Amino acid sequence: QLLLENLKLIPNATSLQGESIVISVSQDTVYINNKAKIISSDIINTNGIIHIIDKLLSPQNLLFTPK
């Protein structure tokens, strides 16, 4: 479980799908993959910690199957 202060100390993490996630800090703001800004953090839940971001992150290998 990573609180915001812990996220500021690590340069990357791995998603549940196994993809690398870049974590960067600029002017005390934390960004995910240099795009999504964490706008609310450290929401403690029974199964982890929630951080709310301002952009949608999608897997690089996301496939759309036409119907």
Side-chain angles (χ1 to χ4, degrees), residues 9-67:
L9 301 175
I10 59 172
N12 55 43
T14 303
S15 74
L16 291 176
Q17 280 115 0
E19 294 184 7
S20 180
I21 298 172
V22 176
I23 301 168
S24 57
V25 180
S26 176
Q27 299 177 348
D28 208 39
T29 300
V30 179
Y31 292 88
I32 307 299
N33 290 345
N34 298 316
K35 296 184 225 174
K37 177 171 58 171
I38 294 179
I39 58 174
S40 184
S41 62
D42 299 343
I43 302 166
I44 309 297
N45 198 351
T46 56
N47 63 346
I49 299 172
I50 299 169
H51 303 292
I52 299 173
I53 57 176
D54 66 347
K55 300 217 181 326
L56 176 67
L57 297 178
S58 59
Q60 291 179 350
N61 297 328
L62 183 65
L63 298 176
F64 290 102
T65 305
K67 291 184 177 186

